[in-house]
Amino acid sequence: MKIIVPMAGRGSRLRPHTLTVPKPLIPIAGKPIVHRLVEDIAGVINQDIEEIAFIIHKDFGPQVEKDLIAIAEKLGSKGTIYYQEQPLGTAHAIMSAKESMSGPIVVAYADTLFRADFTLDTSADSVIWVKQVDDPSAFGVVKLEGDRITDFVEKPKEYVSDLAIIGIYYFKSGETLRAELQYLLDNDIVKGGEYQLTDGLENMKQKGLKFVPGKVDEWMDCGNKNVTVETNSRLLGFLHSDGENLVDESAKLENSTVIPPCFIDKDVVLINATVGPNVSLGRGTHVSDSTIKNSLVQTHAHIKNANLDNAMIGNHASFDGKFTSISIGDYSVLE
Protein backbone atom coordinates (compact mmCIF):
# COMPACT_ATOMS: atom_id res chain seq x y z
CA MET A 1 0.00 0.00 0.00
CA LYS A 2 1.14 3.53 -0.80
CA ILE A 3 -0.19 6.90 0.39
CA ILE A 4 -0.16 9.94 -1.90
CA VAL A 5 -0.41 13.25 -0.01
CA PRO A 6 -0.97 16.41 -2.09
CA MET A 7 0.05 19.38 0.08
CA ALA A 8 -0.06 22.18 -2.54
CA GLY A 9 1.19 25.59 -1.35
CA ARG A 10 1.56 27.08 2.09
CA GLY A 11 -2.04 28.29 2.09
CA SER A 12 -3.40 31.76 2.74
CA ARG A 13 -6.38 31.15 5.05
CA LEU A 14 -4.13 30.33 8.02
CA ARG A 15 -1.72 33.23 7.66
CA PRO A 16 0.42 34.46 9.35
CA HIS A 17 1.18 30.97 10.68
CA THR A 18 1.79 29.50 7.22
CA LEU A 19 4.29 32.18 6.20
CA THR A 20 7.05 30.17 7.88
CA VAL A 21 5.51 26.71 8.34
CA PRO A 22 3.35 24.97 5.68
CA LYS A 23 -0.14 24.32 7.03
CA PRO A 24 0.16 20.48 7.06
CA LEU A 25 3.16 20.78 9.41
CA ILE A 26 1.41 22.93 12.00
CA PRO A 27 1.15 20.84 15.20
CA ILE A 28 -2.26 19.84 16.51
CA ALA A 29 -2.05 18.45 20.06
CA GLY A 30 1.71 18.27 19.66
CA LYS A 31 1.93 16.48 16.32
CA PRO A 32 1.88 17.91 12.76
CA ILE A 33 -1.46 17.67 10.95
CA VAL A 34 -0.02 15.53 8.14
CA HIS A 35 1.65 13.19 10.66
CA ARG A 36 -1.68 12.56 12.40
CA LEU A 37 -3.39 12.13 9.03
CA VAL A 38 -1.10 9.38 7.75
CA GLU A 39 -1.17 7.63 11.15
CA ASP A 40 -4.98 7.61 11.08
CA ILE A 41 -5.03 6.24 7.53
CA ALA A 42 -2.55 3.52 8.45
CA GLY A 43 -4.80 2.56 11.37
CA VAL A 44 -7.90 2.27 9.15
CA ILE A 45 -6.38 0.31 6.26
CA ASN A 46 -4.48 -2.00 8.65
CA GLN A 47 -1.80 -2.78 6.06
CA ASP A 48 1.91 -2.14 5.77
CA ILE A 49 2.63 1.24 4.20
CA GLU A 50 5.34 0.77 1.60
CA GLU A 51 5.71 4.42 0.62
CA ILE A 52 4.33 7.86 1.48
CA ALA A 53 4.65 10.35 -1.38
CA PHE A 54 4.34 14.04 -0.48
CA ILE A 55 3.50 16.55 -3.22
CA ILE A 56 4.75 20.02 -2.31
CA HIS A 57 5.91 23.30 -3.79
CA LYS A 58 9.65 23.77 -4.13
CA ASP A 59 9.61 26.84 -1.89
CA PHE A 60 8.85 24.66 1.13
CA GLY A 61 12.61 24.20 1.45
CA PRO A 62 14.95 21.36 2.45
CA GLN A 63 14.07 21.35 6.16
CA VAL A 64 10.39 20.75 5.42
CA GLU A 65 11.34 17.94 3.06
CA LYS A 66 13.50 16.35 5.79
CA ASP A 67 10.61 16.64 8.26
CA LEU A 68 8.22 14.93 5.82
CA ILE A 69 10.68 12.09 5.12
CA ALA A 70 11.04 11.63 8.89
CA ILE A 71 7.25 11.31 9.26
CA ALA A 72 7.23 8.50 6.69
CA GLU A 73 10.17 6.75 8.31
CA LYS A 74 8.47 6.84 11.74
CA LEU A 75 5.72 4.74 10.16
CA GLY A 76 8.27 2.32 8.72
CA SER A 77 7.72 3.64 5.20
CA LYS A 78 9.78 5.12 2.41
CA GLY A 79 9.25 8.87 2.05
CA THR A 80 9.27 10.46 -1.40
CA ILE A 81 9.06 14.14 -2.33
CA TYR A 82 7.43 15.39 -5.54
CA TYR A 83 6.91 18.95 -6.72
CA GLN A 84 3.83 20.57 -8.21
CA GLU A 85 5.16 23.59 -10.08
CA GLN A 86 1.77 25.21 -10.78
CA PRO A 87 -1.59 24.99 -8.96
CA LEU A 88 -3.54 23.42 -11.83
CA GLY A 89 -6.07 21.39 -9.88
CA THR A 90 -6.45 18.20 -7.89
CA ALA A 91 -5.82 15.78 -10.76
CA HIS A 92 -2.70 17.69 -11.79
CA ALA A 93 -1.39 17.63 -8.21
CA ILE A 94 -1.87 13.87 -7.86
CA MET A 95 -0.19 13.25 -11.22
CA SER A 96 2.91 15.03 -9.94
CA ALA A 97 3.51 11.73 -8.08
CA LYS A 98 2.66 9.46 -11.03
CA GLU A 99 5.88 7.45 -10.58
CA SER A 100 4.49 6.24 -7.23
CA MET A 101 1.00 5.40 -8.52
CA SER A 102 1.17 1.63 -8.70
CA GLY A 103 -0.68 -1.09 -6.83
CA PRO A 104 -3.16 -0.14 -4.08
CA ILE A 105 -2.93 3.53 -3.10
CA VAL A 106 -4.63 6.03 -0.81
CA VAL A 107 -4.85 9.68 -1.86
CA ALA A 108 -5.29 12.06 1.08
CA TYR A 109 -5.35 15.86 1.14
CA ALA A 110 -3.24 17.16 3.99
CA ASP A 111 -5.47 19.75 5.68
CA THR A 112 -8.04 17.41 7.22
CA LEU A 113 -8.18 14.96 10.13
CA PHE A 114 -10.68 12.23 10.87
CA ARG A 115 -11.65 9.49 13.31
CA ALA A 116 -13.13 6.30 11.92
CA ASP A 117 -13.81 2.71 12.90
CA PHE A 118 -14.47 0.62 9.81
CA THR A 119 -12.78 -2.11 7.78
CA LEU A 120 -11.52 -1.05 4.36
CA ASP A 121 -13.34 -2.91 1.58
CA THR A 122 -10.35 -3.92 -0.54
CA SER A 123 -12.62 -5.81 -2.96
CA ALA A 124 -13.95 -2.47 -4.25
CA ASP A 125 -12.17 -0.62 -7.03
CA SER A 126 -12.29 2.53 -4.92
CA VAL A 127 -13.39 3.68 -1.47
CA ILE A 128 -14.34 7.33 -0.98
CA TRP A 129 -14.23 8.58 2.62
CA VAL A 130 -17.41 10.55 3.41
CA LYS A 131 -19.09 12.26 6.37
CA GLN A 132 -22.74 13.16 6.87
CA VAL A 133 -23.04 16.97 7.05
CA ASP A 134 -25.79 19.48 7.81
CA ASP A 135 -25.11 21.73 4.78
CA PRO A 136 -24.13 19.59 1.77
CA SER A 137 -24.28 22.61 -0.58
CA ALA A 138 -20.81 23.60 0.63
CA PHE A 139 -19.17 20.29 -0.34
CA GLY A 140 -18.76 17.71 -3.03
CA VAL A 141 -21.13 14.84 -2.18
CA VAL A 142 -21.82 11.27 -3.28
CA LYS A 143 -25.12 9.61 -4.12
CA LEU A 144 -25.69 5.98 -3.09
CA GLU A 145 -27.74 3.03 -4.24
CA GLY A 146 -27.38 0.43 -1.52
CA ASP A 147 -23.71 0.36 -0.59
CA ARG A 148 -22.49 1.59 -3.98
CA ILE A 149 -21.68 5.14 -5.05
CA THR A 150 -23.63 6.08 -8.16
CA ASP A 151 -22.80 9.75 -8.61
CA PHE A 152 -20.47 12.57 -7.58
CA VAL A 153 -22.03 16.04 -7.29
CA GLU A 154 -19.98 19.17 -6.61
CA LYS A 155 -21.63 21.68 -4.21
CA PRO A 156 -25.25 20.83 -5.09
CA LYS A 157 -27.65 23.79 -4.99
CA GLU A 158 -30.56 21.42 -4.43
CA TYR A 159 -30.45 18.47 -2.04
CA VAL A 160 -29.14 15.25 -3.59
CA SER A 161 -27.17 13.78 -0.66
CA ASP A 162 -25.72 14.78 2.72
CA LEU A 163 -22.62 12.58 2.41
CA ALA A 164 -19.70 14.97 1.89
CA ILE A 165 -16.41 13.84 0.34
CA ILE A 166 -13.71 14.63 2.91
CA GLY A 167 -10.71 14.32 0.58
CA ILE A 168 -9.42 10.79 1.26
CA TYR A 169 -9.66 8.07 -1.39
CA TYR A 170 -8.59 4.42 -1.75
CA PHE A 171 -7.87 2.92 -5.17
CA LYS A 172 -7.24 -0.78 -5.70
CA SER A 173 -5.15 0.05 -8.79
CA GLY A 174 -2.95 3.12 -8.86
CA GLU A 175 -2.26 2.35 -12.50
CA THR A 176 -5.96 2.70 -13.39
CA LEU A 177 -6.23 6.07 -11.64
CA ARG A 178 -3.02 7.27 -13.29
CA ALA A 179 -4.32 6.35 -16.75
CA GLU A 180 -7.60 8.21 -16.20
CA LEU A 181 -5.89 11.34 -14.89
CA GLN A 182 -3.34 11.24 -17.70
CA TYR A 183 -6.27 11.21 -20.13
CA LEU A 184 -7.54 14.45 -18.58
CA LEU A 185 -4.13 16.10 -18.97
CA ASP A 186 -3.53 14.81 -22.50
CA ASN A 187 -6.94 16.01 -23.69
CA ASP A 188 -6.91 19.27 -21.72
CA ILE A 189 -10.16 18.44 -19.89
CA VAL A 190 -10.49 21.27 -17.38
CA LYS A 191 -13.14 22.92 -15.21
CA GLY A 192 -12.52 26.43 -14.00
CA GLY A 193 -9.06 26.26 -15.52
CA GLU A 194 -8.08 23.20 -13.45
CA TYR A 195 -7.80 19.44 -13.93
CA GLN A 196 -10.22 17.84 -11.48
CA LEU A 197 -9.96 14.46 -9.77
CA THR A 198 -13.76 14.10 -9.87
CA ASP A 199 -13.67 14.04 -13.70
CA GLY A 200 -11.33 11.05 -13.54
CA LEU A 201 -13.58 9.35 -10.96
CA GLU A 202 -16.61 9.89 -13.19
CA ASN A 203 -14.82 8.28 -16.15
CA MET A 204 -13.88 5.30 -13.98
CA LYS A 205 -17.46 4.94 -12.78
CA GLN A 206 -18.79 5.08 -16.34
CA LYS A 207 -16.51 2.15 -17.18
CA GLY A 208 -18.17 0.07 -14.46
CA LEU A 209 -15.65 0.34 -11.65
CA LYS A 210 -17.17 -0.15 -8.20
CA PHE A 211 -17.04 2.79 -5.77
CA VAL A 212 -18.15 2.38 -2.16
CA PRO A 213 -18.24 4.82 0.79
CA GLY A 214 -16.03 4.70 3.85
CA LYS A 215 -17.91 6.62 6.53
CA VAL A 216 -15.97 8.45 9.22
CA ASP A 217 -17.22 9.25 12.71
CA GLU A 218 -15.47 12.60 12.97
CA TRP A 219 -14.15 14.98 10.33
CA MET A 220 -11.98 17.87 11.47
CA ASP A 221 -10.87 20.73 9.23
CA CYS A 222 -7.70 22.78 9.57
CA GLY A 223 -8.48 25.40 6.95
CA ASN A 224 -8.35 28.60 8.98
CA LYS A 225 -7.53 29.82 12.48
CA ASN A 226 -10.94 29.27 14.08
CA VAL A 227 -11.51 25.75 12.76
CA THR A 228 -7.90 24.77 13.51
CA VAL A 229 -8.32 25.83 17.15
CA GLU A 230 -11.62 23.93 17.26
CA THR A 231 -9.95 20.85 15.76
CA ASN A 232 -7.20 21.05 18.38
CA SER A 233 -9.87 21.12 21.12
CA ARG A 234 -11.79 18.17 19.67
CA LEU A 235 -8.66 16.09 19.17
CA LEU A 236 -7.49 16.76 22.72
CA GLY A 237 -10.84 15.46 23.94
CA PHE A 238 -10.48 12.28 21.90
CA LEU A 239 -6.90 11.66 23.05
CA HIS A 240 -7.83 12.30 26.69
CA SER A 241 -10.73 9.83 26.41
CA ASP A 242 -8.31 7.31 24.88
CA GLY A 243 -6.20 7.57 28.03
CA GLU A 244 -3.15 9.19 26.44
CA ASN A 245 -0.75 11.05 28.73
CA LEU A 246 -0.71 14.56 27.29
CA VAL A 247 1.44 16.36 29.88
CA ASP A 248 5.19 15.85 29.61
CA GLU A 249 6.97 15.07 32.87
CA SER A 250 9.55 17.80 32.21
CA ALA A 251 6.91 20.56 32.42
CA LYS A 252 7.36 22.88 35.42
CA LEU A 253 4.30 24.20 37.24
CA GLU A 254 4.64 26.93 39.89
CA ASN A 255 1.39 27.98 41.56
CA SER A 256 -0.39 26.87 38.39
CA THR A 257 -3.30 24.66 37.36
CA VAL A 258 -3.82 22.56 34.23
CA ILE A 259 -7.46 21.76 33.46
CA PRO A 260 -7.67 18.74 31.11
CA PRO A 261 -7.71 18.01 28.33
CA CYS A 262 -4.47 19.82 27.55
CA PHE A 263 -1.27 18.97 25.70
CA ILE A 264 1.79 20.28 27.55
CA ASP A 265 5.04 19.59 25.69
CA LYS A 266 8.61 19.25 26.95
CA ASP A 267 10.19 22.08 28.94
CA VAL A 268 7.02 24.13 29.28
CA VAL A 269 7.04 26.50 32.28
CA LEU A 270 3.84 27.73 33.95
CA ILE A 271 4.00 30.39 36.69
CA ASN A 272 0.83 31.73 38.31
CA ALA A 273 -1.15 30.37 35.39
CA THR A 274 -4.37 28.51 34.71
CA VAL A 275 -4.29 26.54 31.47
CA GLY A 276 -7.20 24.62 29.99
CA PRO A 277 -9.40 23.12 29.06
CA ASN A 278 -8.57 22.45 25.39
CA VAL A 279 -5.10 24.02 25.21
CA SER A 280 -1.94 22.84 23.45
CA LEU A 281 1.38 24.37 24.55
CA GLY A 282 4.40 23.59 22.37
CA ARG A 283 7.90 22.76 23.53
CA GLY A 284 9.72 25.38 25.58
CA THR A 285 6.74 27.70 25.96
CA HIS A 286 6.66 29.97 29.05
CA VAL A 287 3.36 31.21 30.51
CA SER A 288 3.10 33.51 33.51
CA ASP A 289 0.29 35.41 35.24
CA SER A 290 -2.16 34.23 32.62
CA THR A 291 -5.32 32.27 31.92
CA ILE A 292 -5.52 30.32 28.65
CA LYS A 293 -8.35 28.13 27.36
CA ASN A 294 -9.45 26.75 23.99
CA SER A 295 -6.17 27.78 22.37
CA LEU A 296 -3.24 26.48 20.32
CA VAL A 297 0.26 27.73 21.15
CA GLN A 298 3.29 26.49 19.24
CA THR A 299 6.90 26.19 20.40
CA HIS A 300 9.04 28.58 22.47
CA ALA A 301 6.35 31.19 22.88
CA HIS A 302 6.38 33.63 25.83
CA ILE A 303 3.01 34.69 27.22
CA LYS A 304 2.35 36.87 30.24
CA ASN A 305 -0.47 38.96 31.69
CA ALA A 306 -2.86 37.31 29.25
CA ASN A 307 -6.46 36.14 29.28
CA LEU A 308 -6.73 34.08 26.11
CA ASP A 309 -9.66 32.21 24.60
CA ASN A 310 -9.83 30.91 21.00
CA ALA A 311 -6.24 32.06 20.41
CA MET A 312 -3.58 30.70 18.07
CA ILE A 313 0.02 31.76 18.70
CA GLY A 314 3.01 30.82 16.58
CA ASN A 315 6.56 29.70 17.26
CA HIS A 316 8.87 32.07 19.19
CA ALA A 317 6.07 34.64 19.56
CA SER A 318 5.86 36.96 22.57
CA PHE A 319 2.55 38.18 23.92
CA ASP A 320 1.95 40.55 26.80
CA GLY A 321 -1.49 42.04 27.05
CA LYS A 322 -5.19 41.69 27.62
CA PHE A 323 -6.38 40.75 24.14
CA THR A 324 -8.59 37.62 23.95
CA SER A 325 -9.30 36.26 20.45
CA ILE A 326 -6.04 36.66 18.54
CA SER A 327 -3.94 35.03 15.80
CA ILE A 328 -0.26 35.94 15.70
CA GLY A 329 2.44 34.18 13.74
CA ASP A 330 6.01 33.07 14.25
CA TYR A 331 8.40 35.60 15.87
CA SER A 332 5.58 38.14 16.39
CA VAL A 333 5.66 40.40 19.45
CA LEU A 334 2.68 42.12 21.09
CA GLU A 335 3.46 44.30 24.12
Side-chain angles (χ1 to χ4, degrees):
M1 180 73 70
K2 299 177 182 179
I3 302 177
I4 311 292
V5 186
M7 296 176 59
R10 291 184 177 274
S12 58
R13 292 189 298 155
L14 204 52
R15 290 176 180 170
H17 304 281
T18 52
L19 293 175
T20 53
V21 179
K23 179 166 59 176
L25 287 178
I26 289 177
I28 301 293
K31 191 176 293 185
I33 296 168
V34 68
H35 193 168
R36 291 197 177 279
L37 174 64
V38 294
E39 281 186 343
D40 290 344
I41 292 170
V44 167
I45 63 177
N46 196 28
Q47 296 184 31
D48 290 337
I49 308 301
E50 173 188 345
E51 179 184 5
I52 303 175
F54 301 97
I55 303 161
I56 65 173
H57 195 278
K58 279 188 175 179
D59 72 359
F60 279 19
Q63 186 57 53
V64 168
E65 295 181 19
K66 290 179 182 178
D67 292 343
L68 292 172
I69 296 298
I71 288 172
E73 290 176 347
K74 285 180 181 177
L75 289 170
S77 308
K78 172 188 174 183
T80 309
I81 302 295
Y82 293 98
Y83 304 110
Q84 185 188 21
E85 301 294 345
Q86 295 177 284
L88 295 178
T90 53
H92 180 267
I94 295 166
M95 284 297 285
S96 300
K98 61 184 178 182
E99 289 86 356
S100 295
M101 295 172 65
S102 61
I105 64 171
V106 170
V107 175
Y109 295 103
D111 60 354
T112 189
L113 294 172
F114 71 95
R115 305 257 306 177
D117 183 15
F118 69 91
T119 301
L120 185 69
D121 182 2
T122 54
S123 68
D125 295 299
S126 177
V127 178
I128 313 295
W129 271 254
V130 297
K131 177 71 172 71
Q132 192 172 28
V133 295
D134 294 331
D135 180 16
S137 66
F139 305 96
V141 300
V142 301
K143 292 176 65 175
L144 299 181
E145 286 185 8
D147 65 346
R148 190 163 184 158
I149 294 173
T150 60
D151 204 3
F152 309 99
V153 183
E154 185 63 30
K155 296 182 179 178
K157 294 182 179 179
E158 297 182 358
Y159 180 87
V160 295
S161 168
D162 60 0
L163 294 177
I165 300 170
I166 73 169
I168 306 175
Y169 311 80
Y170 162 80
F171 299 95
K172 181 189 290 187
S173 169
E175 293 88 349
T176 298
L177 177 65
R178 183 177 64 197
E180 293 294 342
L181 299 188
Q182 188 65 55
Y183 177 83
L184 300 181
L185 271 60
D186 291 343
N187 293 276
D188 201 29
I189 298 174
V190 297
K191 288 183 180 176
E194 296 185 339
Y195 301 95
Q196 301 292 352
L197 171 61
T198 48
D199 289 330
L201 300 182
E202 182 62 30
N203 289 343
M204 293 166 68
K205 181 173 66 67
Q206 293 294 334
K207 293 177 180 178
L209 275 68
K210 180 183 178 182
F211 289 80
V212 301
K215 296 183 180 180
V216 301
D217 302 315
E218 298 286 344
W219 176 23
M220 295 165 281
D221 187 20
C222 299
N224 59 44
K225 171 250 179 176
N226 285 335
V227 297
T228 300
V229 171
E230 179 185 352
T231 289
N232 179 70
S233 296
R234 291 171 65 188
L235 188 58
L236 286 171
F238 296 140
L239 297 175
H240 182 69
S241 297
D242 292 343
E244 287 199 28
N245 179 24
L246 301 176
V247 179
D248 192 87
E249 61 182 13
S250 66
K252 297 179 181 179
L253 278 65
E254 180 180 317
N255 192 32
S256 296
T257 302
V258 174
I259 304 171
C262 286
F263 171 79
I264 309 295
D265 208 346
K266 295 179 183 298
D267 302 322
V268 168
V269 176
L270 304 180
I271 302 173
N272 301 322
T274 300
V275 173
N278 305 319
V279 174
S280 287
L281 299 180
R283 177 176 294 195
T285 288
H286 286 231
V287 179
S288 61
D289 302 303
S290 299
T291 299
I292 306 176
K293 60 183 178 181
N294 306 312
S295 295
L296 175 57
V297 180
Q298 297 187 49
T299 65
H300 304 287
H302 284 73
I303 300 169
K304 61 181 180 179
N305 305 317
N307 182 13
L308 299 179
D309 186 4
N310 190 38
M312 186 168 176
I313 297 178
N315 301 288
H316 299 274
S318 296
F319 177 72
D320 181 354
K322 297 180 181 179
F323 299 99
T324 55
S325 181
I326 65 168
S327 180
I328 60 177
D330 296 359
Y331 297 97
S332 300
V333 177
L334 293 180
E335 296 180 332

